[in-house]
Amino acid sequence: MRLLKLKRAQLERHLPILQWSKTYDKDMMTSDLVAAVIVTIMLIPQSLAYALLAGLPAEMGLYASILPLVAYAIFGTSRALAVGPVAVVSLMTAAAVGNLALQGTAEYAMAAITLAFISGVMLLVMGVFRLGFLANFLSHPVIAGFITASGVLIASSQLKHIIGVDASGHTIIEIWGDLFRNQNLVNPYTLAIGLSSVAFLFWVRKGLKPLLLSFGMHPRLADILAKAGPVGAVAVTILVTWVFGLQDKGVKIVGDVPMGLPPLTMPSFDMELWSQLAMSAVLISIIGFVESVSVAQTLAAKKRQRIVPDQELVGLGASNIAAAMSGGYPVTGGFARSVVNFDAGAETPAAGAFTAVGILLAALLLTPLLFFLPKATLAATIIVAVLSLVDFTILQKTWTYSKVDFTAVAATIFLTLGFGVEMGVSAGVILSIGLFLYKTSRPHVAEVGLVPGTQHFRNILRHEVTTHPEIVTLRIDESLYFANARFLEDYIFDRIACEEPIKHVVLMCSAVNEIDMSALESLEEINQRLDDLGITLHLTEVKGPVMDRLKRSHFLDALTGEVFLAQYDAVVKLTKPNPLAAQ
């Protein structure tokens, strides 16, 4: 029986659907269905728009919003995360695939499908080997800078659809350069549709719900109608285009959208294509995972639920593989639709599965109605959605708090806007790792003394403390590893290069969680050189796991001094019979 329970627990860990389905009831189903209706209404125009952003046929956005949602419902741990096409990943897909094939060609679509498959496999492998911690190397300020720059880049890339001109490019300079050169080709009908759609969608976000509530409408119904704003814009502009024949006056429309079930597709297994897409897949996987997990953790915390990051990798990996198998392109958890899903009352991932059914019905029944849909309306949907991601206050916040973080954020924004998303996100990863190495390679080391009347030790530069001329106590506020081992070595010998009668150096290790082999060799060198100078080296407050590792080496045997449980014990013993002298 115990073995059976253990196996079931392991199975539930890998298939979270088995956990929440045990308590699934009619009330939960009702809440999930209501949330699914609202998210479906929101997701239909978004899916079409993001496919346009990725340079893909509109129907691929719908396909990427069906099976991936079902896969996440089975393997994902968040009860509110809504998976599907998102703006940043769509832009990164366009940047990755645009270098390999022309938009509108079968090769372009196949490359996008293959990109989803590679990304899914990478995420799945990371999940199986529990490598979710790798996302921690991307600092939040750098991610915020990248998303802000991407939002500006995405909005700029859609202006060509708003004004009805041809413009291309992957950087802000290229895009705005083309827009400026073609400004005399602006189509007034397209401009009218684009600007009116943008204005309407901005108003819907803030003004429609309060207006409906003022008329006495039920809050839930008012919320649904407000979320349906993009659908209203789609319906009205389709009707206007059809009635007035605006497609004959230069207004670009979506055209034929195939009706029916998502096709069964297979990615390309051309190794040359895989090698060309590999780095882009890595970047898309990391950015998608970080964005998804951040949203999922935020929403889970509001209901005192928890998510499992490693299992989230599996859920997102399965979703991307499902997208590749059903004619879609890379997907991840979206911020806006997940918040809508949460606010609409979604109780379980079943809400995502119900949303998939809604999108499937739209693909089966509604696609003929999209023929006259102006691309300007979809561009307006994208612009309004992504501008909510733009937050330049991150520059002011980091400038005030940390100039190092400000440099990283500013560099990420500049590189993304000036050199494209792949360069920007690559720089973000490198900067995040570089920041970590820089900060930890120069750890804060404080010389400490005894606070009178206590057994506490504090920085001699910040507090009135008591010290002894023969003892130098250094508190190391960082783990010791290869990047900072030499720094500590230099710091100690710079400190003892004085005329004070120093006999003891005490390293207070209360903040040291790790000592790697390089740091161990440095400690051995420090111990030997101090011994040559007639100075004894001591350690205090060494944590258990660190001590266990030191015991497996010869360092403790060669240590000239002692290892004390507490800093106070060391000072008491080393200063006897002489009392502490204030300095």
Side-chain angles (χ1 to χ4, degrees):
M1 179 64 73
R2 183 178 179 183
L3 182 62
L4 186 63
K5 288 182 178 179
L6 182 62
K7 288 184 176 179
R8 181 174 179 80
Q10 290 177 337
L11 189 61
E12 288 180 354
R13 187 170 69 248
H14 297 299
L15 290 173
I17 188 174
L18 298 178
Q19 296 179 9
W20 56 263
S21 61
K22 291 188 295 186
T23 57
Y24 201 66
D25 56 27
K26 186 183 295 184
D27 291 337
M28 286 183 174
M29 179 181 286
T30 301
S31 297
D32 286 343
L33 283 170
V34 171
V37 169
I38 296 174
V39 174
T40 300
I41 292 171
M42 175 186 184
L43 192 53
I44 290 172
Q46 272 196 358
S47 298
L48 300 169
Y50 290 148
L52 176 72
L53 174 60
L56 296 165
E59 63 270 16
M60 288 186 70
L62 293 176
Y63 299 158
S65 304
I66 300 176
L67 281 187
L69 286 166
V70 177
Y72 185 81
I74 297 171
F75 296 101
T77 60
S78 171
R79 300 200 173 197
L81 192 70
V83 172
V86 299
V88 172
V89 170
S90 297
L91 180 65
M92 294 177 72
T93 298
V97 179
N99 297 325
L100 306 178
L102 295 175
Q103 284 190 18
T105 63
E107 291 80 9
Y108 191 96
M110 177 52 67
I113 289 171
T114 304
L115 183 62
F117 185 79
I118 298 172
S119 179
V121 170
M122 288 180 174
L123 288 165
L124 205 58
V125 170
M126 289 172 67
V128 170
F129 288 98
R130 301 186 177 185
L131 301 179
F133 69 91
L134 293 176
N136 297 333
F137 287 111
L138 273 173
S139 69
H140 174 73
V142 167
I143 286 290
F146 172 72
I147 290 177
T148 291
S150 296
V152 172
L153 207 56
I154 290 167
S156 299
S157 72
Q158 296 307 295
L159 289 177
K160 62 182 180 182
H161 298 297
I162 296 292
I163 63 179
V165 302
D166 291 326
S168 60
H170 298 301
T171 70
I172 199 75
I173 298 172
E174 293 171 349
I175 293 170
W176 279 93
D178 267 11
L179 290 173
F180 182 78
R181 283 189 292 272
N182 296 327
Q183 60 179 316
N184 58 324
L185 302 176
V186 172
N187 184 291
Y189 300 103
T190 301
L191 182 62
I193 291 175
L195 291 181
S196 59
S197 297
V198 170
F200 173 74
L201 292 173
F202 270 121
W203 174 76
V204 162
R205 282 198 159 206
K206 300 292 184 181
L208 182 57
K209 185 176 180 179
L211 179 64
L212 295 175
L213 291 175
S214 69
F215 288 136
M217 186 174 288
H218 190 276
R220 175 58 66 89
L221 181 58
D223 189 54
I224 292 175
L225 291 177
K227 297 294 188 301
V231 176
V234 165
V236 170
T237 53
I238 286 175
L239 184 62
V240 169
T241 303
W242 173 63
V243 169
F244 295 101
L246 297 183
Q247 73 278 8
D248 298 326
K249 298 177 181 179
V251 174
K252 294 182 179 180
I253 58 175
V254 170
D256 284 314
V257 178
M259 182 172 62
L261 296 171
L264 180 61
T265 55
M266 289 292 290
S268 169
F269 289 97
D270 179 359
M271 288 300 102
E272 183 178 352
L273 178 62
W274 276 54
S275 65
Q276 291 172 323
L277 292 174
M279 184 52 66
S280 296
V282 169
L283 298 176
I284 286 174
S285 299
I286 293 174
I287 291 296
F289 174 63
V290 171
E291 181 179 353
S292 180
V293 166
S294 298
V295 175
Q297 287 177 332
T298 300
L299 297 179
K302 292 183 178 181
K303 287 190 175 182
R304 296 189 178 184
Q305 297 169 349
R306 64 184 294 270
I307 67 164
V308 182
D310 291 324
Q311 184 61 34
E312 284 298 290
L313 283 166
V314 174
L316 292 174
S319 297
N320 276 279
I321 292 173
M325 296 297 184
S326 57
Y329 69 99
V331 297
T332 192
F335 175 76
R337 73 175 69 103
S338 296
V339 171
V340 169
N341 196 37
F342 179 86
D343 291 341
E347 293 288 343
T348 71
F354 294 146
T355 300
V357 174
I359 301 296
L360 179 62
L361 292 174
L364 286 171
L365 304 174
L366 302 181
T367 50
L369 301 177
L370 301 174
F371 183 89
F372 291 101
L373 174 59
K375 290 186 176 180
T377 305
L378 295 180
T381 302
I382 293 173
I383 290 172
V384 174
V386 300
L387 287 183
S388 64
L389 303 176
V390 176
D391 179 20
F392 282 107
T393 62
I394 190 67
L395 290 170
Q396 184 270 328
K397 292 175 183 175
T398 52
W399 175 262
T400 302
Y401 187 76
S402 168
K403 299 299 187 293
V404 173
D405 284 334
F406 170 82
T407 302
V409 172
T412 302
I413 291 175
F414 171 77
L415 290 170
T416 302
L417 292 176
F419 297 93
V421 290
E422 290 199 353
M423 175 65 77
V425 71
S426 300
V429 173
I430 294 170
L431 282 169
S432 295
I433 297 173
L435 281 173
F436 170 77
L437 292 175
Y438 175 78
K439 291 176 181 177
T440 58
S441 68
R442 301 179 60 83
H444 181 258
V445 178
E447 185 170 344
V448 298
L450 180 67
V451 178
T454 74
Q455 295 184 11
H456 298 292
F457 289 79
R458 293 293 184 267
N459 193 327
I460 64 172
L461 300 179
R462 293 176 177 268
H463 301 272
E464 292 291 334
V465 294
T466 303
T467 61
H468 192 281
E470 296 182 350
I471 301 174
V472 172
T473 297
L474 302 176
R475 190 189 69 219
I476 309 162
D477 295 335
E478 182 62 69
S479 292
L480 297 176
Y481 72 119
F482 66 91
N484 61 25
R486 183 60 184 270
F487 174 84
L488 178 65
E489 198 172 327
D490 293 340
Y491 190 97
I492 290 174
F493 290 108
D494 285 344
R495 172 62 185 87
I496 65 172
C498 62
E499 296 182 358
E500 297 175 16
I502 299 172
K503 294 183 179 180
H504 305 281
V505 170
V506 182
L507 299 183
M508 187 175 175
C509 302
S510 53
V512 177
N513 298 313
E514 177 76 19
I515 297 177
D516 76 355
M517 194 65 191
S518 297
L520 177 64
E521 291 177 355
S522 280
L523 288 176
E524 291 172 344
E525 178 68 16
I526 291 168
N527 182 58
Q528 182 60 51
R529 289 178 62 185
L530 288 177
D531 188 33
D532 293 342
L533 295 172
I535 299 174
T536 306
L537 177 66
H538 307 270
L539 305 181
T540 70
E541 303 187 12
V542 180
K543 293 184 176 179
V546 177
M547 193 64 171
D548 291 341
R549 183 165 292 183
L550 290 178
K551 287 178 179 178
R552 296 201 294 267
S553 72
H554 298 292
F555 173 71
L556 295 179
D557 296 331
L559 184 65
T560 55
E562 299 181 47
V563 179
F564 293 93
L565 180 65
Q567 177 65 27
Y568 185 75
D569 296 341
V571 170
V572 169
K573 182 171 182 178
L574 297 178
T575 56
K576 284 183 178 180
N578 301 320
L580 289 172
Q583 287 189 333

